[in-house]
Amino acid sequence: MTHRKTHLWISLIVGLAVWGVYFGHVIQSFRRGDPGNLALWFLGALAVIILAETVATGLIAWLFRRRSRALDEGPTLQAALKASHVALMILVALVLVTAAVLAAASLFGWTIDLSAARTQVLAANALLGMVVVTELSRAGLTLALIPRR
């Protein structure tokens, strides 16, 4: 397995695990009605992701140092570009759907009180969810599009 594929797999697995635990906790916190410590959970999840990605990237680079070669400019790069484009379109679609829901809600006179801490946490986690879905989609699609050798 190439350095790029190994790193993508680690990124995908770590991302699913860490953000899965985080969003599971978010859902449980909202069910209990106490989103008080979610900022700490978010910062902790972010720290774990950064640390895990840094350690994994360093370890992979060290393990593959003898077999390292120039980035495959052909199929691997094309797979990454296609997956990045699809991920961008996913992010754009998520933002547009969110904007449409907010616009439609205003037609019924519904408002969102962003001065309330609970609503701010909910909005922040919705935005975070969009980014996480986009990034995991990019990694997964890149892996799916890289040709088998």
Side-chain angles (χ1 to χ4, degrees):
M1 192 179 306
T2 66
H3 175 266
R4 181 169 185 77
K5 284 176 91 171
T6 305
H7 184 264
L8 284 167
W9 274 112
I10 289 172
S11 179
L12 192 61
I13 291 167
V14 168
L16 283 171
V18 171
W19 294 119
V21 168
Y22 173 77
F23 282 114
H25 180 74
V26 168
I27 291 167
Q28 291 301 320
S29 293
F30 276 101
R31 282 187 180 162
R32 286 191 312 266
D34 178 30
N37 63 353
L38 286 181
L40 294 176
W41 271 79
F42 168 73
L43 294 173
L46 197 58
V48 168
I49 286 286
I50 290 169
L51 182 65
E53 290 280 337
T54 302
V55 169
T57 301
L59 183 62
I60 292 167
W62 182 75
L63 289 173
F64 283 91
R65 70 187 180 281
R66 293 172 205 238
R67 293 190 293 166
S68 68
R69 54 184 186 256
L71 177 65
D72 181 6
E73 293 291 332
T76 302
L77 183 59
Q78 287 301 317
L81 289 172
K82 286 177 185 176
S84 294
H85 179 73
V86 171
L88 176 63
M89 293 301 103
I90 290 170
L91 182 60
V92 168
L94 289 170
V95 169
L96 289 176
V97 165
T98 302
V101 167
L102 292 171
S106 72
L107 293 175
F108 298 105
W110 300 335
T111 61
I112 296 176
D113 180 15
L114 286 176
S115 65
R118 181 180 170 99
T119 311
Q120 290 174 358
V121 169
L122 184 60
N125 280 289
L127 293 170
L128 174 63
M130 291 178 196
V131 172
V132 169
V133 165
T134 301
E135 183 56 24
L136 293 177
S137 298
R138 185 202 55 79
L141 285 170
T142 303
L143 280 169
L145 294 173
I146 290 177
R148 309 288 179 247
R149 293 183 191 181

